[in-house]
Amino acid sequence: MTTRRTFIKGAALAAPAAALATPAIAQSKIKWRMQTYAGSALGEHVIKPAIDTFNQIAGDQMEIELFYADQLVPTGELFQALQRGTIDAVQSDDDSMASPTEVTVFGGYFPFGSRYSLDVPVLFNQYGLKEIWDEEYAAVGVKHISAGAWDPCHFATKEPINSLADLKGKRIFTFPTAGRFLSQFGVVPVTLPWEDIETAVQTGELDGIAWSGITEDYTVGWADVTNYFLTNNISGAWIGHFFANMDRWNELPDNLKQMLTVCMEQSHYYRQWWYWGGEANLRVNGDKLKLTTIPDAEWETVEEAAVKFWDEIASESPTKAKVVEIFRKYNADMRKAGRPYRYG
C-alpha cells in the first residue's frame, strides 16, 4: 500500500516532469496602428515596403496595421491622435500634422533649406538637428524615431509658369510653411484633404500643386490633371519623420525598438534612389507634363526672399533661432566645399 511518505516522495519526483510537460502561456502579440500622410498610391513606395518587412521579421511578436492619408483621422489631427494614443505611430512631416513644437515650421519644405535629398540625413545626423527634434517631441509625449528625405518641391499647374508674375492669384495646394512663404509672390495657399486634390484641380478649385516633385505627380495621378511642371523648386527635399506614442514605444522590448528603427532607416534609403532616379527619368522621358523654367536672374529674388524669411522664423523663439543657425552653417559649409556639394 502507498504510504503518505512514499506518495509525497513520488509527487516531488514527478513535479519537474509535469512542469516541463505543461505548455507555456503564449505571450500576446503586440499590435500597433500607424497612419501615414500619404495616399495609397504613394504609400506603396514611401511606407508600405518598410511596414511589410517589419511585420515579416517581427513574426508572432508584433504587427503594425497601416492606414493611409485621412483614413483614421484627418492629417491635420495626426499629432493629437498620436499624443492621445488613438494612433500608435505616424509617418508625416511636422508641418502637415500640426505639431505644437518649436520645430514644426521646419518640417515638410523649409524654403531653400536643402538642395539635395542627402542634405537632410546629414543635417540630422551630423549637424545636430536630431537631438533638437528628439528633445522637442519627448517634451510632449511623443517619440521621434527617425528623419529622412523625400522629393523636392515643385509646381505642377494647369497653366504654364514662366515668370514670377504667372504665380499671382494661383490657388495652390501646398504645405503650411511653404504657403506662408509663397504668398508674398501672389500664391493663394489652399488646404484640402490629400485624396481630394486631383478632383479639386479638375473642377478648377485648384490651379495647381506645390507639394512634391515630378515622381509623385506621376505616381499619384496629378500629372493626369495638370499640364506643366516648373523646374525651379523652393526646396531640394521634403523633411519627413516617423513618430510613435511615447508610452507605446517604451512598452516595446529593445529588440523590437531596434527592428522598427532599422526598417524605417531602410525606407529612407529606398526613397533616396527612388525619388532621385525618378525625378530625372520623368523630366527626360515623361510624356504628360511640359517643363517650364523661371530664368535664374528672376528666381534669385525668390532665394533672396528666403533669407529674409529665415530671419523672420529665427526671431520667433530661441529654439527656432538655433535651428536656423544650423541651416545657415550647413549651407555655408556646402558652398565652401564647392562641387559637387554646391555650385552655381
Side-chain angles (χ1 to χ4, degrees):
M1 294 179 64
T2 302
T3 65
R4 182 173 182 274
R5 182 184 295 275
T6 56
F7 176 81
I8 294 174
K9 182 179 179 182
L13 291 172
L20 290 173
T22 302
I25 298 175
Q27 187 177 21
S28 59
K29 189 174 188 177
I30 299 170
K31 292 191 176 182
W32 274 18
R33 298 195 303 173
M34 169 185 275
Q35 184 171 311
T36 175
Y37 75 97
S40 58
L42 182 60
E44 285 290 328
H45 291 279
V46 302
I47 182 62
K48 190 174 185 295
I51 299 307
D52 286 347
T53 299
F54 175 83
N55 287 338
Q56 183 178 6
I57 299 172
D60 293 334
Q61 280 191 286
M62 182 172 174
E63 179 183 358
I64 296 176
E65 186 178 6
L66 179 62
F67 295 87
Y68 296 106
D70 305 312
Q71 285 189 334
L72 292 179
V73 297
T75 298
E77 297 176 14
L78 276 176
F79 176 85
Q80 294 178 8
L82 181 64
Q83 190 181 44
R84 290 194 304 263
T86 306
I87 298 174
D88 303 297
V90 162
Q91 180 197 43
S92 179
D93 68 283
D94 319 74
D95 211 14
S96 297
M97 70 177 194
S99 166
T101 67
E102 290 294 315
V103 295
T104 297
V105 71
F106 304 103
Y109 294 116
F110 186 56
F112 296 96
S114 64
R115 179 172 290 191
Y116 307 116
S117 57
L118 276 175
D119 291 338
V120 174
V122 175
L123 278 161
F124 274 83
N125 296 311
Q126 295 185 352
Y127 277 72
L129 290 190
K130 185 180 186 304
E131 290 76 12
I132 296 174
W133 258 251
D134 289 352
E135 183 177 344
E136 282 290 309
Y137 280 96
V140 291
V142 169
K143 169 65 178 178
H144 173 251
I145 302 173
S146 182
W150 274 250
D151 50 340
C153 183
H154 293 260
F155 285 86
T157 53
K158 297 177 74 171
E159 299 298 327
I161 304 296
N162 295 298
S163 69
L164 290 180
D166 293 334
L167 292 175
K168 293 182 179 178
K170 294 292 188 297
R171 293 160 297 178
I172 302 294
F173 172 66
T174 189
F175 294 88
T177 298
R180 175 179 167 183
F181 173 69
L182 291 169
S183 62
Q184 64 186 290
F185 303 102
V187 169
V188 181
V190 178
T191 300
L192 291 170
W194 193 92
E195 294 286 2
D196 293 345
I197 303 310
E198 186 173 343
T199 300
V201 175
Q202 290 176 303
T203 61
E205 185 178 355
L206 288 174
D207 299 304
I209 302 155
W211 176 274
S212 68
I214 199 168
T215 302
E216 283 195 21
D217 292 333
Y218 275 78
T219 301
V220 306
W222 293 340
D224 297 323
V225 296
T226 55
N227 302 310
Y228 299 93
F229 179 84
L230 181 64
T231 61
N232 311 76
N233 67 60
I234 67 164
S235 180
W238 187 76
I239 301 175
H241 310 267
F242 290 100
F243 303 96
N245 175 275
M246 187 66 79
D247 290 337
R248 298 292 81 76
W249 175 263
N250 290 336
E251 290 169 1
L252 292 181
D254 288 342
N255 72 309
L256 288 179
K257 290 178 182 177
Q258 186 172 7
M259 191 187 306
L260 193 55
T261 302
V262 168
C263 289
M264 290 175 177
E265 290 293 333
Q266 172 64 22
S267 79
H268 295 325
Y269 172 69
Y270 176 93
R271 287 191 309 277
Q272 286 281 346
W273 61 260
W274 184 66
Y275 277 121
W276 184 256
E279 297 295 302
N281 176 59
L282 289 171
R283 285 192 186 199
V284 175
N285 300 308
D287 59 0
K288 295 180 179 180
L289 296 175
K290 297 179 181 178
L291 306 184
T292 65
T293 301
I294 296 176
D296 289 345
E298 190 174 2
W299 192 248
E300 283 179 8
T301 62
V302 182
E303 297 188 21
E304 291 169 359
V307 175
K308 296 179 181 178
F309 184 76
W310 286 19
D311 291 337
E312 178 185 337
I313 297 300
S315 69
E316 293 177 354
S317 76
T319 299
K320 290 179 181 178
K322 185 177 180 180
V323 175
V324 167
E325 186 55 37
I326 288 175
F327 274 104
R328 289 192 200 281
K329 175 172 173 48
Y330 176 76
N331 280 278
D333 287 350
M334 294 300 104
R335 285 191 295 272
K336 291 177 182 176
R339 295 174 183 267
Y341 301 95
R342 294 289 188 272
Y343 55 90

